[in-house]
Amino acid sequence: MFTIDDLADRLGGYLPDDEIQQVRRAFYYAEQAHDGQTRRSGEPYVTHPLAVANILANMHMDHQSLMAAMLHDVIEDTGVTRDAIATQFGEAVAGLVDGVSKLTQITFEDKAVAQAENFQKMVMAMSQDIRVIIVKLADRLHNMRTLGALRPDKKRRIARETLEIYARIAGRLGINTIRVELEDLSFQAIHPMRAERIKRAVARARGNRRSTMRQIQDGLQRRLDEDDLIGSVVGRQKHLLSIYRKMHDQRKPFAEIMDVFGFRIITDSVDNSYRILGAVHNLYKPVPGRFKDYIAIPKANGYQSLHTTLFGPSGMPIEVQIRTREMEAMANNGIAAHWLYKAGQTERPIAVGSHARAREWVRGLLEMQRHAGDSLEFIEHVKNDLFPDDVYIFTPKGDIMELPQGATAVDFAYSVHTDIGNSCIACRIDRHLAPLSTPLESGQTLEIITAPGAKPNLAWLNFVITAKARSAIRHALKNQQRTEAVQLGRRLLNRALAAFETSLETLSPERLSALLTEIDLKSEEDLLASIGLGTRLAHATARRLVDTEPTDEANERAEFRRLAESNGPIVINGSESMAISFARCCYPLPEDPVIGHLSIGKGIVVHRHDCGNLEELRDDPDKLVSLTWSNQIEQDFPVPLRIEVETRRGLIAELASLITDADANIERIGIEERDVRLSIVNLTILVKGRVHLARIIKRLRNLNHIGRIVRARH
């Protein structure tokens, strides 16, 4: 059994004696605190923190991280407080322990909420000290190694959480050794039979190809020696989940995946890395398009290496990675290499950049946290943000930005700054104007065009993929909706108050304050927003504000509506994007007679006056609002058309050309075949208003083979 003496011997290789003694003291403190507690396996509980500290020792973490590993469960599982740990071991260690501890004093609705709240707490602690997440990863790794004593359903739940969050975080921070083991242990817990079959197949395949591996490895090493290049060649093994994902996602058989031979060449300098690349390309021909230079452009987690694929003996593919010893340490330990450097184990500060990138990532998490509606939304953003495949985009000044695969110009804008994202209106990709939704490719130069009054568009949520962009857009839209709801609420309430010959401006502050206290709202803005979003009726609020004596309710409502209507309808101009929306059942257009319905959470929904759905809504007349169109409307509005046509070649192109010439755009088009001779074309076009639509329909009717044209309803 592994003991504290074994750990102390291992720490002697890189820590001074006084720091090792502090780690010992933390162990004895934890041993006493956990006295009498056992794990499900029956072992004394203190074996777990000791094993976590051993994992961190393998990464050459500092003594405070090791002390925190020893103590990480005492707050959660014993009567020891944070203050007691701070008194005994210092504030830094207490902060690490508290950051890793779960929120045990709060009862949550379900495990998902508890998981999300605990993760939020950990992110806050990470922002103070990034070592929190490294201790947590080591804790999770040992828990995954000892899952055997748990029920199968609990195993699967913990394994899924590990795959979705902790393995991805390890990858994001470049700690590859922990990521690979977490992924394989999770795979074995979720799919034990599949994992076992792949493991046996891998063992058989390695036995069959051992001589080939040795032959290729010796050939590569000989070439390096002949060219006087310093480097050692080692075989590279694929891990279980990687094999399974390739079989599942790429529909490849096991034999095809194992046919690829992987090698890593470790050298002493960047200069020699490129020389070795030339040597292996002289030995075996490279596969076109399969070379990647992650030394010149590192991955977001700091990973650096040269990757190339070669045609080996008999045409078999060989994947080769070439990097320096420092890059190898970085690839395996990621951000933890920062402490390995501080312990004097490397020649130069290879991990300083990685440490800065990790802090930048944590700052991004904190920004997402501020924008998220709740902890569940936040953790969903984090999961989406942890996919590793990146594209590298150049700014007009030549700086490089890393973005996930499939990212768009809007993602790029928000990665530069939230204000840039909120105000972007267009972009130039390689100096050419392009849609904001265009997926970006590595090597492109991107310029964002902004405008002072611009606002985020709801449609952006359909194509942005980064969590930062998604959370920032939602946050901006919520603020925009509230601002517009307050403005609309003010118009509705003033209109209602006009029936009582008063207004918000002339009401006494005491009366408004008294009403806010009565209905438990904090501010006038909250009151106006609730009216604008339809959760509170303007006329009822107006009556309470003027404090009129209650009369017969039916007569009072009728009198109120008569007075309110005398103040004229509300004027709409189509630009009220959040507080006023247009019904998709009747598609109202400017110049159509319209009426508004106050819908809870949406504000005013505009319907055509003859809309069939209004029959149900007329039962609640207090929620109907008289509306009229402004004379100055520049927005385009969608309208569906149903056109009977005689089937013939080229008709759709002719329709599209005519509509475009009439200064309208086609939003959607579809065709239904009625019979061999006739078809129905369903068009949704964007028009300025009813007059514009009438002009288009008139031109369409002049076409041959066109039958009936109907303005459709849904």
Side-chain angles (χ1 to χ4, degrees):
M1 184 172 130
F2 190 78
T3 66
I4 183 61
D5 292 329
D6 296 328
L7 178 63
D9 289 342
R10 179 167 292 175
L11 297 180
Y14 74 97
L15 286 182
D17 290 342
D18 61 322
E19 292 183 353
I20 296 173
Q21 286 308 312
Q22 291 183 60
V23 175
R24 276 185 179 274
R25 193 161 68 87
F27 168 77
Y28 293 129
Y29 189 95
E31 187 178 41
Q32 188 175 355
H34 290 296
D35 187 39
Q37 295 179 349
T38 58
R39 305 199 83 209
R40 289 184 182 273
S41 60
E43 296 175 301
Y45 193 88
V46 77
T47 58
H48 168 63
L50 184 61
V52 174
N54 186 45
I55 291 169
L56 295 177
N58 292 336
M59 300 161 69
H60 286 197
M61 289 300 293
D62 65 309
H63 72 291
Q64 289 180 337
S65 301
L66 294 161
M67 292 163 72
M70 295 295 188
L71 302 164
H72 76 271
D73 279 332
V74 294
I75 294 178
E76 188 180 329
D77 296 339
T78 73
V80 177
T81 64
R82 184 193 190 283
D83 290 341
I85 293 175
T87 303
Q88 285 287 330
F89 302 102
E91 188 59 37
V93 173
L96 289 172
V97 173
D98 187 45
V100 178
S101 300
K102 293 176 186 171
L103 297 168
T104 53
Q105 65 273 32
I106 303 174
T107 304
F108 295 104
E109 298 173 13
D110 55 36
K111 289 190 182 296
V113 175
Q115 177 201 57
E117 292 287 349
N118 284 321
F119 188 77
Q120 274 204 134
K121 174 179 179 281
M122 189 174 69
V123 167
M124 292 297 291
M126 283 163 59
S127 68
Q128 305 299 318
D129 194 331
I130 197 72
R131 291 175 295 179
V132 167
I133 189 59
I134 299 177
V135 176
K136 182 63 182 177
L137 288 173
D139 171 46
R140 178 52 63 109
L141 178 56
H142 186 252
N143 282 333
M144 291 300 298
R145 287 174 179 174
T146 55
L147 274 183
L150 301 180
R151 298 191 317 267
D153 61 318
K154 194 169 184 181
K155 280 186 194 177
R156 287 191 293 271
R157 178 178 62 78
I158 293 171
R160 285 196 182 94
E161 179 188 70
T162 300
L163 263 186
E164 289 177 359
I165 298 175
Y166 294 103
R168 290 184 185 174
I169 289 176
R172 186 65 179 76
L173 298 178
I175 311 174
N176 202 46
T177 49
I178 288 184
R179 176 189 66 82
V180 168
E181 190 172 354
L182 286 177
E183 286 183 348
D184 280 353
L185 291 170
S186 300
F187 176 49
Q188 290 173 65
I190 297 169
H191 299 298
M193 292 181 66
R194 296 178 198 181
E196 187 58 35
R197 289 183 66 181
I198 291 175
K199 197 186 295 183
R200 287 201 299 267
V202 167
R204 282 196 305 271
R206 282 177 185 161
N208 297 337
R209 54 191 242 155
R210 190 170 290 131
S211 61
T212 308
M213 284 281 289
R214 173 58 61 188
Q215 177 190 345
I216 297 170
Q217 187 172 339
D218 290 346
L220 289 169
Q221 190 67 61
R222 266 196 312 274
R223 175 49 63 100
L224 299 187
D225 295 340
E226 288 169 5
D227 292 352
D228 293 326
L229 293 169
I230 298 170
S232 57
V233 184
V234 293
R236 188 167 55 84
Q237 307 293 347
K238 290 183 173 67
H239 63 288
L240 298 182
L241 185 61
S242 169
I243 294 170
Y244 175 71
R245 279 176 173 162
K246 285 184 178 176
M247 292 173 66
H248 184 270
D249 299 342
Q250 300 176 19
R251 305 291 183 191
K252 287 185 176 180
F254 176 80
E256 190 175 324
I257 293 167
M258 294 305 290
D259 274 349
V260 180
F261 293 82
F263 296 91
R264 186 171 296 136
I265 302 176
I266 312 300
T267 186
D268 63 338
S269 68
V270 171
D271 188 49
N272 271 341
S273 297
Y274 287 101
R275 291 176 185 273
I276 289 170
L277 176 70
V280 298
H281 279 186
N282 278 329
L283 180 63
Y284 299 117
K285 289 188 182 300
V287 177
R290 295 295 300 273
F291 168 66
K292 290 180 181 175
D293 188 343
Y294 292 120
I295 292 180
I297 305 177
K299 288 190 176 184
N301 60 13
Y303 174 88
Q304 288 183 285
S305 186
L306 299 176
H307 288 197
T308 187
T309 302
L310 312 168
F311 291 109
S314 305
M316 66 180 67
I318 303 171
E319 292 176 349
V320 179
Q321 298 174 354
I322 307 165
R323 49 184 177 249
T324 66
R325 283 188 292 272
E326 290 88 349
M327 292 171 191
E328 173 72 357
M330 185 68 221
N332 291 328
N333 296 311
I335 188 178
H338 176 78
W339 285 273
L340 184 141
Y341 162 70
K342 286 171 73 174
Q345 301 299 307
T346 60
E347 296 174 5
R348 32 180 216 273
I350 57 161
V352 171
S354 172
H355 195 254
R357 276 187 287 265
R359 290 200 171 281
E360 187 63 33
W361 176 64
V362 173
R363 277 196 290 272
L365 290 183
L366 288 175
E367 189 175 343
M368 278 191 270
Q369 190 176 35
R370 285 194 298 272
H371 291 167
D374 55 36
S375 56
L376 287 173
E377 182 182 330
F378 168 63
I379 204 167
E380 199 55 43
H381 286 326
V382 172
K383 288 178 186 177
N384 293 336
D385 196 45
L386 288 171
F387 289 100
D389 294 330
D390 292 329
V391 292
Y392 298 91
I393 306 302
F394 291 92
T395 68
K397 293 182 179 179
D399 298 327
I400 297 171
M401 301 283 291
E402 300 108 343
L403 291 166
Q405 195 78 36
T408 63
V410 176
D411 293 296
F412 177 91
Y414 278 104
S415 71
V416 174
H417 196 281
T418 303
D419 291 343
I420 301 292
N422 286 341
S423 59
C424 78
I425 56 169
C427 71
R428 288 191 182 94
I429 299 176
D430 293 334
R431 299 184 180 180
H432 297 290
L433 283 172
L436 289 172
S437 58
T438 305
L440 302 174
E441 297 177 7
S442 282
Q444 290 177 329
T445 299
L446 180 61
E447 179 188 352
I448 298 296
I449 301 168
T450 60
K455 297 176 183 176
N457 191 322
L458 183 63
W460 290 356
L461 290 173
N462 295 327
F463 57 77
V464 296
I465 67 165
T466 58
K468 182 177 181 181
R470 190 171 291 279
S471 63
I473 292 166
R474 284 178 174 163
H475 179 68
L477 290 175
K478 283 177 189 172
N479 288 343
Q480 185 181 334
Q481 183 182 37
R482 179 175 171 82
T483 302
E484 292 183 4
V486 168
Q487 292 171 353
L488 177 61
R490 186 180 299 278
R491 290 167 70 186
L492 290 171
L493 184 55
N494 269 326
R495 187 166 170 271
L497 287 169
F500 300 104
E501 298 182 347
T502 185
S503 69
L504 263 177
E505 290 70 27
T506 56
L507 276 174
S508 70
E510 294 78 15
R511 183 66 208 125
L512 182 60
S513 179
L515 177 63
L516 292 174
T517 304
E518 281 177 41
I519 59 181
D520 195 26
L521 290 178
K522 293 180 181 177
S523 66
E524 179 184 336
E525 270 201 359
D526 290 342
L527 174 64
L528 297 175
S530 66
I531 294 171
L533 291 172
T535 55
R536 195 174 299 278
L537 292 176
H539 84 84
T541 305
R543 181 162 46 81
R544 294 180 72 170
L545 278 170
V546 297
D547 201 20
T548 57
E549 291 294 323
T551 58
D552 176 71
E553 189 173 352
N555 290 336
E556 183 186 350
R557 284 187 177 186
E559 178 63 12
F560 172 80
R561 292 199 66 77
R562 186 184 67 76
L563 290 169
E565 293 297 337
S566 69
N567 290 307
I570 290 177
V571 178
I572 54 174
N573 58 28
S575 62
E576 307 92 341
S577 57
M578 304 299 290
I580 295 180
S581 57
F582 298 91
R584 289 281 172 165
C585 51
C586 56
Y587 290 92
L589 295 177
E591 297 112 26
D592 279 335
V594 289
I595 193 167
H597 174 253
L598 274 169
S599 176
I600 294 175
K602 292 182 179 178
I604 293 179
V605 181
V606 182
H607 292 262
R608 285 165 62 184
H609 219 289
D610 58 352
C611 177
N613 287 338
L614 282 177
E615 293 306 316
E616 300 173 18
L617 305 179
R618 291 185 204 280
D619 295 338
D620 193 0
D622 291 335
K623 289 194 173 183
L624 294 180
V625 182
S626 181
L627 303 174
T628 189
W629 295 98
S630 165
N631 292 326
Q632 297 177 332
I633 296 178
E634 296 181 1
Q635 180 182 334
D636 288 342
F637 293 80
V639 59
L641 297 178
R642 190 172 171 83
I643 307 172
E644 290 183 359
V645 299
E646 289 183 24
T647 306
R648 68 178 178 84
R649 183 178 296 178
L651 181 64
I652 298 301
E654 200 173 338
L655 283 174
S657 176
L658 186 147
I659 290 168
T660 304
D661 291 344
D663 197 24
N665 289 317
I666 297 176
E667 189 178 72
R668 192 176 297 112
I669 189 167
I671 301 175
E672 304 171 18
E673 278 196 16
R674 174 172 287 183
D675 52 42
V676 177
R677 194 175 60 85
L678 287 177
S679 296
I680 303 292
V681 176
N682 293 306
L683 275 175
T684 301
I685 60 175
L686 297 173
V687 298
K688 302 290 183 190
R690 193 170 176 173
V691 173
H692 187 196
L693 175 65
R695 193 165 66 248
I696 292 169
I697 290 176
K698 184 177 180 181
R699 295 182 67 172
L700 288 172
R701 286 200 171 113
N702 289 332
L703 285 175
N704 293 326
H705 311 287
I706 295 289
R708 211 159 60 107
I709 302 175
V710 178
R711 183 174 167 184
R713 300 182 189 228
H714 297 302

